[in-house]
Amino acid sequence: MKALVCVKRVIDYNVKIRVKTDKSGVETENVKMSMNPFDEIAVEEAVRMKEKSQVSEIIVLSVGSDKSQETIRSGLAMGGDRGILIKTENDQVEPLNVAKIIKYICDKEKPDLIILGKQAIDDDCNQTGQMLATLLGIPQATFASELKKNEDNTIDVTREVDGGLETIRVGIPCVITTDLRLNEPRYASLPNIMKAKQKKIELIEIDELGIDIKRRLEILEVNEPPERKPGIKVENVESLVDKLKNEAKVL
Amino acid sequence: MKILVVIEHDNKNIKQPSFSTITAANEIDSNVEAIILGKDLDKTLDSLKKSNGLKKIYAVDSEIFENPIAENLSLTISKFIDGKSFTHILSPSSTFGKNMSPKLSALLDVQQISDITKVINNETFERPIYAGNAIAKVKSNDPTKVITVRSTCFEPVKLDSNVEIEKLSLNVDKNSSINFVKYDQSKSDRPELTSAKIIISGGRGMQNGDNFKLLEGIADKLGAAMGASRAAVDAGFVPNDWQVGQTGKIVAPDLYIAVGISGAIQHIAGIKDSKYIACINKDEEAPIFNFSDYGLVGDLFDVLPKLEENL
């Protein structure tokens, strides 16, 4: 099986974000950027499948500015074989357009398995995988917490859904989106980081694809969330219960 | 304007987020209809038709909707809406809606607006980004707006109507490359996290799974749901679906009690719409105190038994 893993460059999850003073967005200048954590889980899963000889080749794909090459490179250091970057002016291409771009690559590369994070931690959309599966007309298994490949070229995917776990059996090719507990991504070792520098990343300008990536959603403004009023510290349990009963009236 | 709400249910009961989604729809326009797809829907329809805020309900009752397979749902809905000039299609932003709605959006070639928390007007909405650390105001330029709704931000509609139901027979072939295998429901007699009035959650400070028993007695007395921080879930103290936070469940109870939870950004993002937050933590510098209405500095192993006694 050939696997395509899609990765996005986002503000590192440990960074406390700052809203720009002109409200046009979130400050990304001089901020530490990393691979979207859910996409890291996607890369890890593909690498584990390759180690089990279930996957023969792993392509790491990203859509974004030149700097997204670094993100692809970290995927290659984890065990990806080669990379593709669809170059756009910025990293803020909308999910529907990203799905169209990935479809273009799928038509060319014909992967059996497409794995990507369930959502990016910047825009929190949770859409790209579902849209891609729809455009390709192939099954989707979202929010995966366990994959089991069967003999007959189907995959049993356990999904984290509200109220429990659902298992579905999907045929190949398919799109899988990863949830947090699918695996714990490895740290790339220094030798593997060095080796990744030799791996090939193909650069394709977005204009070559003939896909219109004009935004459909206008971002009018971005604001800080309303802050909660500062609370008080209570002395003891009795006082806590008293406040909850008589002041907040929630007990 | 004409709005369609996609109803989530389990072939027995309507899921609470559906009723909040109907409220959000009515904030856009009062011309709201609903569609429900399932198997043996009679009982489910009895409760849905009581819903306020709906002009009509379309019901598709078929074997293929015994389980909510997104491919079958989205294809059927897109067939149904074809030529009907719906301007908005809303689904709850639960795992059901998150799984299905983007497919609908791709079939219509429109950019979905995920997880709205506020309706500004018929084309402008607010939605959280960066785990709720920023709020974006977005305007959609698409002819049909496909939207998912964060249910904790909209009160559920009242249930004292009698809405007209039209049964539809839409023939869609079941997608043969996706098959349902099983559903393991987490067993609990307590209220669900997303609809509970009171929630008590434990974090890494609980030290192990057994110690969550200390929260049980309190939860019993309060009729509360039980939750946990991601740290507690990752440490294996409690099952996955207890997790409250941006990557788990977003909750908004009247009272949220955080025990031994430090208050990581991603946990706060999941609880900050709670009416009151109380916390118990031995580290008085823990960030959770900045978000709590009432904070008690103390060792949870001393405090919890006393709290249970005092309730």
Side-chain angles (χ1 to χ4, degrees):
Chain A
M1 285 202 301
K2 185 165 164 179
L4 177 73
V5 185
C6 309
V7 300
K8 185 178 187 184
R9 180 174 181 266
V10 298
I11 295 181
D12 187 90
Y13 74 102
N14 277 318
V15 171
K16 179 150 175 39
I17 59 130
R18 275 179 299 123
V19 172
K20 287 184 186 169
T21 43
D22 68 357
K23 297 187 174 186
S24 64
V26 165
E27 192 58 70
T28 54
E29 292 286 315
N30 302 316
V31 171
K32 185 182 178 210
M33 306 292 281
S34 311
M35 186 188 295
N36 177 38
F38 290 104
D39 300 342
E40 261 186 344
I41 295 171
V43 176
E44 176 65 32
E45 197 63 20
V47 174
R48 288 186 190 189
M49 290 178 89
K50 195 179 172 195
E51 287 167 349
K52 282 188 267 186
S53 307
Q54 292 171 343
V55 159
S56 51
E57 188 191 19
I58 301 168
I59 306 169
V60 181
L61 168 71
S62 190
V63 177
S65 65
D66 240 337
K67 288 188 175 149
S68 293
Q69 282 191 68
E70 294 164 19
T71 314
I72 295 176
R73 203 64 79 185
S74 10
L76 298 179
M78 285 173 72
D81 293 299
R82 62 186 166 99
I84 302 174
L85 172 64
I86 308 298
K87 267 176 72 176
T88 57
E89 250 173 62
N90 58 55
D91 297 334
Q92 298 305 316
V93 184
E94 290 177 317
L96 179 65
N97 293 329
V98 173
K100 287 177 181 176
I101 294 168
I102 304 173
K103 177 183 186 293
Y104 176 95
I105 297 300
C106 288
D107 289 343
K108 213 168 91 176
E109 295 282 351
K110 308 250 181 297
D112 303 290
L113 195 60
I114 303 136
I115 317 182
L116 57 170
K118 72 166 181 181
Q119 75 188 61
I121 59 162
D122 52 2
D123 60 18
D124 289 333
C125 277
N126 197 327
Q127 299 173 6
T128 306
Q130 295 89 312
M131 288 175 160
L132 175 66
T134 311
L135 297 177
L136 287 169
I138 62 174
Q140 74 184 32
T142 54
F143 325 142
S145 63
E146 197 186 340
L147 303 187
K148 206 178 111 250
K149 190 173 175 294
N150 303 312
E151 294 294 322
D152 62 351
N153 261 349
T154 58
I155 302 177
D156 283 2
V157 183
T158 304
R159 309 179 50 237
E160 291 197 17
V161 295
D162 295 333
L165 294 171
E166 181 193 75
T167 307
I168 55 173
R169 181 165 298 162
V170 292
I172 293 167
C174 61
V175 174
I176 290 168
T177 77
T178 59
D179 216 321
L180 275 181
R181 277 165 285 268
L182 182 58
N183 60 49
E184 268 184 52
R186 69 194 65 195
Y187 290 102
S189 66
L190 190 60
N192 284 342
I193 292 171
M194 299 312 286
K195 250 195 273 174
K197 289 188 175 158
Q198 309 303 320
K199 293 180 182 172
K200 191 169 165 272
I201 298 179
E202 184 185 353
L203 302 178
I204 305 174
E205 294 289 339
I206 181 70
D207 298 342
E208 290 176 34
L209 273 53
I211 296 170
D212 178 13
I213 60 161
K214 192 168 124 312
R215 283 192 73 88
R216 313 280 194 91
L217 276 190
E218 259 177 81
I219 298 173
L220 301 181
E221 56 185 53
V222 174
N223 288 296
E224 303 266 0
E227 278 192 35
R228 288 188 72 93
K229 301 193 299 294
I232 54 159
K233 284 203 175 119
V234 291
E235 282 305 312
N236 49 42
V237 171
E238 289 76 12
S239 147
L240 177 64
V241 173
D242 174 65
K243 294 279 184 197
L244 292 175
K245 266 191 185 145
N246 302 316
E247 200 174 88
K249 299 190 191 337
V250 284
L251 291 187
Chain B
M1 266 180 287
K2 197 160 119 182
I3 303 172
L4 184 69
V5 173
V6 182
I7 301 296
E8 179 183 4
H9 62 93
D10 59 7
N11 289 321
K12 285 190 209 78
N13 299 304
I14 306 293
K15 296 278 183 183
Q16 202 63 17
S18 301
F19 293 122
S20 298
T21 306
I22 296 171
T23 302
N26 276 275
E27 289 187 16
I28 301 170
D29 191 89
S30 60
N31 192 13
V32 180
E33 299 179 337
I35 187 166
I36 176 166
L37 306 95
K39 185 189 170 226
D40 302 332
L41 281 174
D42 291 349
K43 185 172 173 270
T44 324
L45 281 169
D46 281 343
S47 47
L48 181 61
K49 73 177 181 195
K50 296 194 188 103
S51 169
N52 286 12
L54 290 179
K55 300 272 189 259
K56 195 172 179 179
I57 296 164
Y58 299 96
V60 191
D61 202 322
S62 156
E63 198 73 32
I64 71 167
F65 300 121
E66 185 177 1
N67 297 296
I69 299 288
E71 283 76 3
N72 301 329
L73 292 165
S74 57
L75 205 60
T76 310
I77 297 169
S78 78
K79 247 188 169 178
F80 164 72
I81 58 177
D82 190 32
K84 290 205 177 55
S85 65
F86 283 104
T87 51
H88 299 72
I89 301 164
L90 274 64
S91 310
S93 182
S94 52
T95 51
F96 163 85
K98 285 175 177 167
N99 191 36
M100 185 279 301
S101 184
K103 300 186 77 68
L104 210 48
S105 172
L107 290 167
L108 295 171
D109 191 34
V110 300
Q111 175 55 52
Q112 172 176 298
I113 311 144
S114 290
D115 219 11
I116 63 162
T117 51
K118 198 173 181 181
V119 174
I120 308 290
N121 59 43
N122 65 327
E123 52 188 18
T124 308
F125 309 90
E126 279 186 5
R127 57 177 305 267
I129 55 174
Y130 292 93
N133 289 301
I135 308 292
K137 191 186 277 182
V138 295
K139 177 169 176 272
S140 166
N141 294 316
D142 280 317
T144 311
K145 276 89 173 139
V146 175
I147 295 168
T148 62
V149 175
R150 180 171 292 194
S151 58
T152 54
C153 293
F154 299 89
E155 287 288 324
V157 282
K158 292 213 167 62
L159 304 174
D160 52 17
S161 297
N162 187 9
V163 184
E164 180 203 343
I165 298 171
E166 183 181 332
K167 298 208 171 171
L168 304 172
S169 51
L170 290 166
N171 293 321
V172 173
D173 290 333
K174 183 179 171 298
N175 190 318
S176 60
S177 41
I178 304 136
N179 287 292
F180 176 83
V181 179
K182 62 174 179 174
Y183 175 59
D184 296 319
Q185 192 176 2
S186 332
K187 299 246 180 299
S188 171
D189 299 332
R190 299 184 199 285
E192 277 193 44
L193 276 169
T194 45
S195 54
K197 292 271 177 227
I198 302 178
I199 296 172
I200 183 161
S201 284
R204 204 198 299 271
M206 298 302 295
Q207 294 181 3
N208 60 48
D210 278 347
N211 288 336
F212 272 74
K213 288 203 182 79
L214 293 167
L215 303 180
E216 272 175 21
I218 299 169
D220 285 342
K221 281 196 165 171
L222 297 175
M226 286 176 68
S229 69
R230 182 174 162 189
V233 170
D234 283 350
F237 298 171
V238 291
N240 295 348
D241 56 318
W242 285 39
Q243 188 185 320
V244 173
Q246 177 66 16
T247 48
K249 301 229 166 47
I250 313 277
V251 300
D254 290 342
L255 172 62
Y256 186 87
I257 309 172
V259 183
I261 292 177
S262 64
I265 297 173
Q266 84 95 23
H267 189 76
I268 301 300
I271 66 169
K272 65 181 172 48
D273 292 324
S274 306
K275 217 172 272 170
Y276 288 93
I277 297 175
C279 74
I280 298 162
N281 204 302
K282 66 178 174 192
D283 173 13
E284 62 178 314
E285 300 294 319
I288 188 76
F289 285 103
N290 301 329
F291 300 95
S292 299
D293 301 278
Y294 305 109
L296 177 57
V297 181
D299 187 334
L300 64 93
F301 296 101
D302 297 333
V303 171
L304 289 175
K306 274 189 211 150
L307 180 60
E308 187 179 341
E309 217 170 275
N310 273 273
L311 289 170

